[in-house]
Each structure stands twice: as C-alpha cells, then as structure tokens.
Amino acid sequence: MQILLLLHLLLNFSFSANEIHAPVPINPEFGKTVDTCPRARASLPEIWILKLWDHAVSDDGQLDTGAKRPQTLNQASLYRQLEEWLYLHAPDRKATVITSGCNVSEITDPYPHKIRGWTLGDLQKRVSDPGYDALPAPIALKLKAKHGGQVRAFCADNQEFERQQSVALSGARAALGFYTRLADQNEKKQIRLEYRVRALELYQLPPSTPGKVLLKTLNRELKRNLAEFTRLANTRVDFLFQAISRAGPPESRLLVILPGASAKTLAGKLRRAGFGCQVIEPNGYASESELFLGEIDRWLRGEVD
C-alpha cells in the first residue's frame, strides 16, 4: 500500500515545458562524465544524473558545519556545477531538480519538513555565508533556498526505505567482516577466537557451533542482506524513474541527484526506456557504499559454497 501511494504521488507531479532547459556541458573543474545513454526516442527529455556521496545523518539533527568530511568536496563540486549553470547560462530560466533522500513531495516555500536535519528556512538564513556551497545540507534544498522561484525541486524517495537500506548495508558489512577474519588461516588464533565469540553472539548461535556451520551462516547472512539492500535500492530508483517519466518536453534536460551507488541502475532503466542521459561524477566522489558493493560482488563471484 505504501509503495502504491508513493507511485500515485509521483505520477501526479507535473512539470511545465517552459520550466526545464538543457544545461551546458560539464565544467571539468567540478567533475566529469562517466557514462552516457543516447536518446532513442525524440519525445523524451535528456537527463543529467549527478552522483552524490551523501552524509549519513538522521533527520533530527544537523551535521556540525565546522567539521571536515571526505564528502565535502563532492557535495561542493556538485552544487557549484549546478549553480554555474544557473548563473551563467540560464539566468532568466527555471531549473528542475529531482532528488533522492526525502519523501515524495515538491519543495516549495514554505517547506517545513526537515531533510538531513535542515529546513528550507534554516538554509535561507545561510545563503550569504562564504562557505554556503560546501554546507553539509541537501543540494536541492540549498538551491531552492538561494534561488527561490528559479528552481523547482522535487523529492522522489522514501526515507524509511533509505533507513532500511542502510541497515541492510551494515548487516552485509558485518557478515563479510566476520567471514573474512574467520576464514583467514593466517590470522592470529586469539583474534580469530575473539571474532568467533562475537559472531556467535551476534547471530545467536550456540558456543558449540562448528566453524564450517558458522561460515555458512555468515555467507547466508551476507547474501540475505545484500539482496535486501538491492531490493530497496531498486525500489528507490523506481521512484526517481517515475518522477523522471513525468518530466516533460524532449528539448529539455532534467537534473537528478541520487546516491552514486544507484546511478548505474537508474541509467540502465533510462537507457532501456529510450531516454538520453549523462552520468556525472563530481570531483571528490568516492562513495564507500559503491566501493563496498564492488568488493562484495568480486568476493561473491570468487566464493565456493
């Protein structure tokens, strides 16, 4: 029922043909193109997919804006690229941005909901700050706060699914971590024993559990969590795809911000549907989730049950 409701909301988003205009090519100072899909149907718009290395933060609190984080360069580069287009190439036009990371809705003024701990009002008070571009706040919300009616911003996600996906990723990390430690015969015996005790406790297995049985359990838990992560990731991509499908005119190009680990999946759906797309990797991008999933994929392809 929840998924059907979200799809209903997405299908009722409306975009005007005059509100979306094609951005200029990527500024190499801010990022690079890592994938493209040629437009197969002239009736469909071009899509910019921007890979975000997101901060992990609950909705009930803002990040410390003075702390240094590895994600800062990625988020600042992404913001600067979009703002350069707004200032230099579309000063009299409107931009439309669709973003993940917040429940399905249009970000209008006023917008009382918090996204990553920030409200639109919070950011409107900070737009003149020297470091506004690097502020650890949602890109779409920052653009809307600074540029007002020049930007239409839409959320196309489910934050509960996002939370569940994070839990699944943590479960996969734990299972793989235990497995590699316990299966490594070169690891010190005492360290392996400590990991065994912790694994038995976490997965509620009796102390007498044979080592092979424990490894099979860890293997099963890894696959279960990975399958759940993938299912939720694909569902969240479907929300974005539904919003994109309502985006409008063939001469337009739409800006989509999403976690980098899902960019390949979204690009694949767009390619199969005939959309033209360009996947942009802003400078500083190094998503831990994407790297970890690649590590898991290589490990699974080389494993022996």
Side-chain angles (χ1 to χ4, degrees):
M1 178 62 71
Q2 187 177 35
I3 294 176
L4 291 175
L5 175 59
L6 287 168
L7 291 179
H8 172 75
L9 290 170
L10 285 168
L11 291 171
N12 279 281
F13 277 166
S14 62
F15 303 89
S16 167
N18 296 321
E19 292 173 341
I20 314 172
H21 296 261
V24 296
I26 286 292
N27 185 334
E29 292 184 13
F30 302 136
K32 60 185 178 181
T33 299
V34 295
D35 192 13
T36 60
C37 42
R39 186 166 61 179
R41 294 169 55 191
S43 60
L44 297 175
E46 294 282 338
I47 313 297
W48 257 17
I49 302 173
L50 297 118
K51 298 175 69 172
L52 175 67
W53 185 9
D54 205 0
H55 301 288
V57 61
S58 65
D59 267 352
D60 57 1
Q62 296 175 5
L63 290 163
D64 174 10
T65 57
K68 292 184 178 180
R69 294 178 185 78
Q71 297 96 333
T72 299
L73 176 59
N74 168 254
Q75 296 211 346
S77 297
L78 199 164
Y79 180 87
R80 288 167 186 159
Q81 173 61 68
L82 296 181
E83 188 160 69
E84 178 182 279
W85 174 62
L86 287 171
Y87 272 134
L88 301 182
H89 304 284
D92 300 318
R93 303 173 181 174
K94 290 186 178 180
T96 297
V97 180
I98 297 178
T99 185
S100 62
C102 47
N103 292 328
V104 175
S105 60
E106 180 175 2
I107 300 175
T108 57
D109 190 4
Y111 186 77
H113 308 293
K114 284 187 175 183
I115 306 176
R116 293 293 192 272
W118 298 85
T119 65
L120 185 64
D122 293 332
L123 291 169
Q124 286 170 334
K125 298 173 183 176
R126 305 288 297 273
V127 294
S128 298
D129 287 5
Y132 185 76
D133 56 352
L135 206 62
I139 305 297
L141 202 63
K142 286 201 293 185
L143 288 169
K144 183 66 177 178
K146 188 167 184 178
H147 298 283
Q150 190 180 352
V151 174
R152 290 195 73 189
F154 294 87
C155 294
D157 204 347
N158 180 291
Q159 288 170 282
E160 176 57 23
F161 289 169
E162 182 183 27
R163 184 195 67 77
Q164 292 176 18
Q165 190 180 1
S166 178
V167 170
L169 183 62
S170 295
R173 286 183 189 276
L176 182 61
F178 281 123
Y179 190 103
T180 53
R181 287 286 190 171
L182 294 172
D184 184 2
Q185 298 300 318
N186 295 320
E187 184 63 88
K188 293 181 180 180
K189 185 176 180 180
Q190 182 59 35
I191 293 178
R192 289 175 62 197
L193 178 60
E194 292 174 0
Y195 273 90
R196 172 184 166 83
V197 171
R198 290 165 58 189
L200 291 172
E201 180 179 316
L202 178 62
Y203 298 105
Q204 300 181 335
L205 297 172
S208 59
T209 299
K212 289 184 178 180
V213 173
L214 177 55
L215 288 177
K216 285 185 177 180
T217 299
L218 293 170
N219 184 6
R220 186 169 58 249
E221 284 296 307
L222 172 59
K223 290 181 175 180
R224 182 185 67 80
N225 279 288
L226 184 59
E228 178 67 358
F229 177 92
T230 302
R231 181 187 71 81
L232 290 163
N234 289 340
T235 300
R236 294 176 63 202
V237 167
D238 285 343
F239 295 157
L240 287 165
F241 183 77
Q242 289 291 334
I244 290 168
S245 297
R246 299 287 295 174
E251 68 274 12
S252 68
R253 183 172 290 165
L254 192 69
L255 313 175
V256 181
I257 302 171
L258 80 166
S262 296
K264 184 177 180 179
T265 302
L266 179 59
K269 287 181 72 70
L270 293 171
R271 185 177 291 112
R272 289 189 294 273
F275 286 89
C277 73
Q278 189 175 1
V279 181
I280 311 302
E281 188 173 285
N283 292 341
Y285 178 79
S287 172
E288 293 178 342
S289 296
E290 188 170 8
L291 294 172
F292 178 67
L293 291 172
E295 179 185 347
I296 286 181
D297 181 63
R298 290 188 295 272
W299 185 83
L300 288 174
R301 282 188 280 113
E303 83 171 351
V304 179
D305 290 323

